[in-house]
Amino acid sequence: PRTGSGTADVRATDLAQALKWLARWPGVPNGLAAQVTAGNGTARATWQGGWDDAVVQAQANMHVEQAKRRIDGDVAVRAGRKGERWQGQLQLLHAKANDPAIGAGTWALVLQKPVDWQWASSRLETGAGSAMLKSPREKDAPAQLTWDPVRFGGGELQTSGRIAGLPLAWIELFGGPQLAGSAVTGDM
């Protein structure tokens, strides 16, 4: 159909089993199910436009938990299909993550500008992009992540990127107790 709209509410009480099922879909990357061994999640998606429409607008909110790790996110995508090729733009990405393994508090990632993408023959290509990464520490300024075009397919990932404004104090967050209180200051 060329027109339509809808809403989908998805709840997975066993993410590992849900990803095994999803991995059987055409075009889904091999090894997707191997990345998650347990957990649960919810997602809500809404869209405007039909399967064969030139442009479909979609938004999704997600919540995923695995042990004590938690990820919440909001995504907005514009997409369209031409034959076997999908293309579009990631318009919004806001993600928050909590992982006790790297300390208490919430990390936040926010896409700075929309990123173009296309998916064909089990290959994903995106344009360059940038995002801000904020640590749980109130006083830290966010780091700026930028990346060059991404190519993923056939088990290979090809891209390059940069991190600017990385607070040196983040070393404590990743270095654990042996680096806590090291009095390292500044930005890289």
Side-chain angles (χ1 to χ4, degrees):
R2 295 200 174 276
T3 62
S5 65
T7 300
D9 287 307
V10 179
R11 180 177 309 267
T13 56
D14 183 344
L15 274 180
Q17 186 67 28
L19 290 175
K20 286 178 187 174
W21 172 77
L22 186 61
R24 296 184 303 196
W25 287 27
V28 173
N30 292 334
L32 176 69
Q35 304 301 316
V36 176
T37 58
N40 62 71
T42 60
R44 179 176 181 85
T46 60
W47 65 90
Q48 292 288 327
W51 188 254
D52 288 327
D53 195 347
V55 178
V56 176
Q57 295 285 130
Q59 296 177 335
N61 309 95
M62 67 169 190
H63 172 80
V64 178
E65 289 187 30
Q66 182 182 25
K68 294 184 179 184
R69 295 178 179 105
R70 188 177 75 238
I71 299 174
D72 293 291
D74 296 312
V75 178
V77 177
R78 180 183 51 79
R81 189 175 76 154
K82 291 184 180 179
E84 295 299 314
R85 183 179 61 154
W86 284 87
Q87 63 185 23
Q89 188 176 69
L90 176 62
Q91 297 173 312
L92 171 83
L93 172 62
H94 289 183
K96 292 183 179 181
N98 294 72
D99 185 349
I102 56 173
T106 302
W107 289 82
L109 180 73
V110 178
L111 187 68
Q112 295 298 292
K113 62 180 183 177
V115 176
D116 294 330
W117 60 270
Q118 62 179 344
W119 174 266
S121 303
S122 297
R123 297 191 66 81
L124 173 68
E125 295 186 11
T126 77
S130 64
M132 297 295 282
L133 178 62
K134 177 75 174 104
S135 83
R137 297 164 45 123
E138 290 283 328
K139 61 185 176 185
D140 291 346
Q144 175 75 36
L145 310 174
T146 57
W147 59 90
D148 294 331
V150 175
R151 288 173 180 66
F152 177 74
E156 293 184 18
L157 173 65
Q158 187 178 42
T159 190
S160 62
R162 291 162 293 290
I163 302 175
L166 182 64
L168 289 176
W170 287 13
I171 291 172
E172 291 181 13
L173 295 171
F174 293 103
Q178 64 272 23
L179 292 178
S182 63
V184 176
T185 61
D187 291 338
M188 287 177 45

